[in-house]
Amino acid sequence: MCGIVVAVAKNNVASVLLEGLSQLEYRGYDSAGIALMNGGFHRLRTTGRVAELNKIVNERKLQGKTGIAHTRWATHGEPSEHNAHPHFSGEASRIAVVHNGIIENYETLRQRLQAAGLKFISDTDTEVIAHLITFNLERTLDLFEAVRDSVTELQGVYAIAVMEEARSDRIVVFHNGTPLLLGLGTSGNYAASDASALIQVTKRMIYLKEGDLAELYCDSYRIVNCFNGSMSEVDRIVHESKLTTEDLGIGSYAHFMQKEIFEQPSVAANILEEIFNTNSASPQLFGDAAKHIFTQIDKVLILACGTSYHAGLVARHWLETVAKLTCNVEIASEYRYRNPVIQANTLVVGISQSGETADTLAALSYAKAFGHRYSLAICNVAESTLTRQTDLCFLTRAGPEIGVASTKAFTTQLTGLMLLAVVLGKLHGKLSNEDESKIIGALRHLPVSLNRVLRAESEIKVWAKKLSESQHILFLGRGIHYPIAMEGALKLKEISYIHAEAYAAGELKHGPLALIDKDMPVIVIAPNDELLAKIKSNLQEVRARGGKLYVLADNDSSVESSSGLEVIRLTEYAGLLSPILHTIPLQLLAYHIALIRNTDIDKPRNLAKSVTVE
Ligand code: AGP
């Protein structure tokens, strides 16, 4: 999604803005731009990468001590230079604007502004903001007030930064839903969509709250909140970010996705540190109020999108099996428009890597507005919007995930969700001490098992070669591994652009079996669980129709390679944790197929890391 970087400093900020943009590249974008103040606006925009923008900024020797920069992920209007940010208000503009999010009433506003004689150059909703602020600036003569008045008319979830030609010492920013934080430095002040863009200059960050309007000067700043009825200054806590430049580096890997796949044993160890010396999991892992809340609830509702939704689907099995609790898992973008039945004693769990996914945040607010009393975030980003909106929080501590395709975030979400099932099972009297310590023991062993599974990479590479020319691939799983098949198909689609679909293997005969022929490879997850015999029958159904089978099994699964059927054995059967282990080869497979197909693995086309618009 769009990324914003803003700087007002003592020295030239061009390189700070460009470095900030390159740190935000992982969010996904299709064009980039920058405007610097230096005796007037100097703006450059390109549909190329940030590196291309960097090159032209250097060629033209663009400089300025105040500037705004942006990566755009197109929503209104095609990716093109004229739609790229920063936007002006007409040719002789007094202001420059960058924007993340969507202005829902932009058409009405556009018509009104056009009727007032204003000309539009782009197809974006952002240009409406530029014109509206300029319009109000004529009256207020002060940018801060003009932005304050303008935002009362803008509907939607968004963040903006505005720079005024007449005041080169100041930038005004407004936060309403999509992420924006301030960075307080020693030789300047900054703002950005996330902390990774600013740690090059400061670790002191302020996470703005909904409705916060801030003005930044080189050595001071002021924040008011437009939604609290008073325009008096508000105090916001200054946080010390724990991010390091090392966290954001790629190390010796070719891609962030590859690095993040191989980090999984160590991030699993991070998360499990807290249970290392015990045989039980404490409710405290989820926050101070967890014990009280967990004993009140009698159901769980999980809301999430994409990969995080798949984690929720696995968790449903665990919550049913381990904690004997009813659990519903909903796609957040669907749930937010339903009329759910209120079940006050339901624990609503929002799962999100970024903690900024617009649909997940909206679904959670919707569930709360509907009367669901208790909420928990399973999230990878401390201080994200999600973690600030829930009663309880479990941080997955996977470190920054830069590759658009989620990998380590998923397996750490699963680890956290298993701990949740254990804690709830214990508190509700459904899990014996003995079973609890068995699960905890298996969890402690997880980093070792993950390392073993990663060793299957060379065999996976052989599969990748065979599968890289495929047009379509089918993924099959059953029970707790069906969501893993869904995750494998999603991973493959998003980075290799091969069409992939996942089916619960028992559903084959209800339709998809018609697709099977020699050109339809089928990847099957076949661990040694109670459904192995059923899966084996499904394998026969595919073989009988000429389908080529690629089977992921553990050491104990009694499936053998034969003509048209290739088996990769992973490690010993991991019981309830088996889905975590079977995810790894599917991540590796997607990665190696994408590598062969030479796609942009970390920044796949059309996708964004942090989906901050609906
Ligand atoms: C995963 O590979 C995807 N890029 C995507 O499905 C992602 O999981 C989804 O957008 C949800 O993001 P979140 O976890 O940050 O909320």
Side-chain angles (χ1 to χ4, degrees):
M1 295 279 119
C2 300
I4 293 176
V5 192
V6 159
V8 195
K10 286 185 187 143
N11 304 310
N12 177 23
V13 294
S15 60
V16 172
L17 294 175
L18 289 161
E19 168 59 21
L21 284 191
S22 70
Q23 292 300 340
L24 296 183
E25 279 191 293
Y26 77 93
R27 295 164 66 88
Y29 69 105
D30 40 54
S31 54
I34 186 170
L36 289 155
M37 286 279 296
N38 196 347
F41 289 142
H42 295 268
R43 176 177 68 168
L44 284 174
R45 298 177 294 174
T46 172
T47 49
R49 290 280 168 201
V50 172
E52 170 67 18
L53 185 67
N54 205 338
K55 195 168 146 240
I56 46 182
V57 166
N58 287 332
E59 278 166 7
R60 309 220 186 140
K61 300 193 170 45
L62 222 64
Q63 292 198 353
K65 295 177 185 171
T66 302
I68 57 181
H70 190 263
T71 44
R72 174 174 186 253
W73 189 80
T75 56
H76 298 66
E78 52 162 11
S80 64
E81 199 177 314
H82 82 285
N83 283 333
H85 301 212
H87 281 283
F88 288 166
S89 163
E91 293 299 342
S93 184
R94 296 168 58 189
I95 64 159
V97 179
V98 289
H99 158 224
N100 172 20
I102 286 178
I103 305 304
E104 286 176 357
N105 58 337
Y106 92 102
E107 276 182 86
T108 320
L109 290 170
R110 188 176 169 119
Q111 279 160 16
R112 201 182 86 200
L113 291 160
Q114 274 171 332
L118 292 163
K119 297 254 171 313
F120 281 77
I121 299 162
S122 79
D123 314 306
T124 65
D125 50 349
T126 311
E127 203 179 354
V128 166
I129 307 174
H131 278 316
L132 189 64
I133 294 172
T134 307
F135 193 77
N136 285 322
L137 187 56
E138 301 283 339
R139 181 175 43 79
T140 63
L141 304 177
D142 177 74
L143 183 66
F144 195 72
E145 288 176 27
V147 175
R148 179 202 62 198
D149 292 353
S150 304
V151 298
T152 60
E153 296 195 60
L154 300 173
Q155 289 165 13
V157 170
Y158 60 93
I160 54 173
V162 194
M163 189 165 75
E164 184 188 7
E165 199 163 32
R167 289 288 307 270
S168 64
D169 61 337
R170 168 172 83 165
I171 290 178
V172 176
V173 300
F174 179 69
H175 161 74
N176 180 28
T178 59
L180 195 69
L181 51 89
L182 306 186
L184 311 177
T186 45
S187 50
N189 285 318
Y190 311 87
S193 301
D194 76 44
S196 61
L198 299 185
I199 52 154
Q200 49 161 333
V201 278
T202 182
K203 282 183 176 273
R204 298 178 66 230
M205 314 276 177
I206 292 177
Y207 298 94
L208 295 176
K209 298 204 165 155
E210 305 280 294
D212 277 356
L213 176 68
E215 56 184 344
L216 300 178
Y217 296 90
C218 177
D219 47 14
S220 66
Y221 66 93
R222 175 167 78 108
I223 307 172
V224 301
N225 189 280
C226 299
F227 296 168
N228 68 8
S230 109
M231 287 302 284
S232 49
E233 215 169 306
V234 290
D235 257 347
R236 295 285 177 241
I237 300 167
V238 179
H239 296 261
E240 192 73 19
S241 174
K242 293 199 173 62
L243 267 187
T244 63
T245 32
E246 220 168 68
D247 287 336
L248 301 169
I250 198 163
S252 56
Y253 293 93
H255 296 94
F256 279 103
M257 183 184 179
Q258 187 192 26
K259 173 180 180 234
E260 288 154 10
I261 290 174
F262 281 89
E263 273 174 349
Q264 288 176 107
S266 67
V267 296
N270 274 349
I271 203 175
L272 296 169
E273 244 171 32
E274 319 209 18
I275 53 160
F276 204 72
N277 288 319
T278 79
N279 283 327
S280 65
S282 153
Q284 192 70 30
L285 290 170
F286 298 85
D288 291 342
K291 190 166 182 187
H292 169 72
I293 291 178
F294 286 173
T295 44
Q296 305 299 308
I297 62 115
D298 54 18
K299 279 182 200 64
V300 178
L301 166 66
I302 295 178
L303 303 170
C305 305
T307 289
S308 299
Y309 168 70
H310 297 155
L313 292 175
V314 175
R316 177 169 63 194
H317 287 263
W318 288 339
L319 288 161
E320 285 170 356
T321 311
V322 177
K324 308 281 179 247
L325 282 171
T326 302
C327 173
N328 288 318
V329 190
E330 305 271 357
I331 295 173
S333 56
E334 287 293 312
Y335 179 83
R336 61 187 289 194
Y337 296 110
R338 293 233 316 275
N339 286 313
V341 177
I342 305 166
Q343 292 161 328
N345 291 341
T346 298
L347 177 68
V348 183
V349 183
I351 309 177
S352 173
Q353 187 285 129
S354 60
E356 303 295 350
T357 302
D359 284 321
T360 305
L361 294 172
L364 198 87
S365 310
Y366 187 64
K368 285 211 252 173
F370 246 86
H372 289 101
R373 241 183 284 159
Y374 306 115
S375 56
L376 162 70
I378 305 277
C379 188
N380 193 35
V381 182
E383 292 297 333
S384 58
T385 310
L386 180 67
T387 61
R388 282 178 274 133
Q389 280 181 5
T390 51
D391 307 311
L392 304 174
C393 175
F394 182 90
L395 284 179
T396 52
R397 298 170 62 188
E401 191 180 66
I402 310 286
V404 164
S406 197
T407 52
K408 61 177 180 173
F410 180 65
T411 46
T412 51
Q413 283 167 352
L414 289 177
T415 311
L417 287 160
M418 178 49 111
L419 287 169
L420 177 67
V422 169
V423 168
L424 287 171
K426 270 315 278 298
L427 283 175
H428 286 250
K430 306 291 182 196
L431 184 70
S432 66
N433 287 343
E434 199 192 340
D435 286 344
E436 182 188 24
S437 83
K438 267 191 204 152
I439 297 176
I440 298 291
L443 277 170
R444 277 208 230 101
H445 190 61
L446 194 59
V448 176
S449 310
L450 285 166
N451 255 325
R452 281 195 196 140
V453 175
L454 282 166
R455 287 188 214 135
E457 191 183 22
S458 50
E459 290 171 89
I460 293 287
K461 279 186 186 168
V462 177
W463 280 15
K465 245 192 201 149
K466 294 183 184 173
L467 292 167
S468 63
E469 301 283 315
S470 308
Q471 299 286 315
H472 313 273
I473 298 183
L474 206 59
F475 286 72
L476 300 180
R478 288 196 82 136
I480 200 163
H481 295 93
Y482 170 43
I484 302 306
M486 294 166 82
E487 176 59 9
L490 175 64
K491 226 66 322 163
L492 187 70
K493 271 187 270 222
E494 69 178 331
I495 61 164
S496 77
Y497 316 147
I498 293 177
H499 172 232
E501 269 196 82
Y503 269 92
E507 278 290 288
L508 259 193
K509 53 191 174 297
H510 299 292
L513 205 51
L515 293 171
I516 303 296
D517 63 11
K518 63 174 184 17
D519 298 320
M520 175 64 90
V522 183
I523 295 171
V524 187
I525 305 168
N528 185 32
D529 63 10
E530 63 286 357
L531 291 170
L532 182 60
K534 306 276 173 206
I535 273 279
K536 282 165 96 177
S537 311
N538 302 134
L539 299 184
Q540 293 311 322
E541 290 165 5
V542 175
R543 268 318 287 136
R545 283 146 188 100
K548 186 107 181 44
L549 285 156
Y550 295 83
V551 180
L552 290 170
D554 40 53
N555 280 341
D556 313 320
S557 300
S558 52
V559 189
E560 301 303 328
S561 295
S562 58
S563 149
L565 189 157
E566 296 189 30
V567 182
I568 293 182
R569 294 196 184 282
L570 301 174
T571 171
E572 70 275 18
Y573 175 56
L576 283 174
L577 300 184
S578 167
I580 302 183
L581 300 183
H582 281 82
T583 302
I584 312 297
L586 297 178
Q587 295 170 346
L588 284 169
L589 185 65
Y591 175 76
H592 283 290
I593 291 179
L595 203 61
I596 296 169
R597 291 167 70 95
N598 200 20
T599 60
D600 195 348
I601 293 181
D602 285 333
K603 299 187 242 14
R605 68 186 182 201
N606 307 336
L607 297 182
K609 180 69 182 166
S610 199
V611 187
T612 52
V613 296
E614 188 177 350

